[in-house]
Amino acid sequence: MTQPDSGPDSGPGSGSADAPGTGAEAHYRALERLYAAAAINRLFPSRLTITGAGRARIDFDVTPEHFHAASAAHGTLYFKMLDDAAFYACNALVTDRFLLTTAFNLHFTAPVRAGPVYAEGHWVSGKRRVFVGEARLVDSHGEEIARGTGTFMRSHIGLSGLEGYSLPQHPAARDLAS
């Protein structure tokens, strides 16, 4: 996987995550809190983990409540988990703005039955306005059951204004506030 290179759009304050220790880990944890706060995740209980720059994983359990009439998971579940994994992998590289999905292609390869499933996503390309991410859905036997590719565009929505996204304050700022 290729990572964004250094350049005028990749330094501190540019909206691109830097190496751990320079704020990237705090950004990853804030994205995880943002995901957990989203109302949709009450319908699809799941957990996001940002596993590194341009990488994300969604863990969830498929239950009969997710089934269509033929007793397998409905396609909405596939889409949501793949889109979220690819989306958050890309947004892990953008520290100032919320991305928006502009397109997503999905390939089903096997039905999902009840049990644990995970989606893992990774950034493929894009550095400024449009990002491409991929994700795969894996069942409890380690078999890939779906794959997807999405494009995500930088929006005008600031991450810092979204409920759930919060970065730890610098110690000096906390001292001034007390």
Side-chain angles (χ1 to χ4, degrees), residues 94-106:
V94 180
T95 60
D96 61 340
R97 297 286 171 196
F98 188 73
L99 299 179
L100 299 173
T101 303
T102 58
F104 201 87
N105 291 316
L106 176 60

Side-chain angles (χ1 to χ4, degrees), residues 6-166:
S6 297
D9 294 326
S10 62
S14 67
S16 296
D18 294 324
T22 60
E25 288 295 327
H27 172 60
Y28 302 162
R29 302 301 76 88
L31 286 174
E32 291 166 358
R33 288 187 295 276
L34 178 66
Y35 180 85
I40 189 69
N41 291 320
R42 288 192 290 276
L43 296 174
F44 297 97
S46 52
R47 185 174 54 85
L48 167 69
T49 306
I50 305 293
T51 58
R55 301 193 76 74
R57 178 177 164 134
I58 310 278
D59 287 281
F60 59 101
D61 285 315
V62 176
T63 65
E65 289 80 27
H66 302 118
F67 288 177
H68 54 54
S71 298
H74 190 276
T76 56
L77 185 73
Y78 288 77
F79 171 75
K80 177 173 183 336
M81 298 308 163
L82 289 168
D83 176 58
D84 284 353
F87 168 90
Y88 277 97
C90 290
N91 222 145
L93 300 173
V94 180
T95 60
D96 61 340
R97 297 286 171 196
F98 188 73
L99 299 179
L100 299 173
T101 303
T102 58
F104 201 87
N105 291 316
L106 176 60
H107 303 281
F108 300 94
T109 55
V112 178
R113 307 284 181 203
V117 178
Y118 67 90
E120 55 185 9
H122 67 274
W123 168 83
V124 174
S125 66
K127 297 181 191 178
R128 294 192 173 110
R129 186 159 166 78
V130 177
F131 297 78
V132 176
E134 292 180 340
R136 66 188 203 116
L137 198 58
V138 179
D139 70 11
S140 60
H141 304 291
E143 298 295 321
E144 182 177 293
I145 52 181
R147 177 174 290 273
T149 303
T151 56
F152 310 94
M153 188 171 82
R154 187 184 295 266
S155 76
H156 296 290
I157 302 165
L159 284 170
S160 62
L162 296 174
E163 184 177 335
Y165 185 90
S166 59

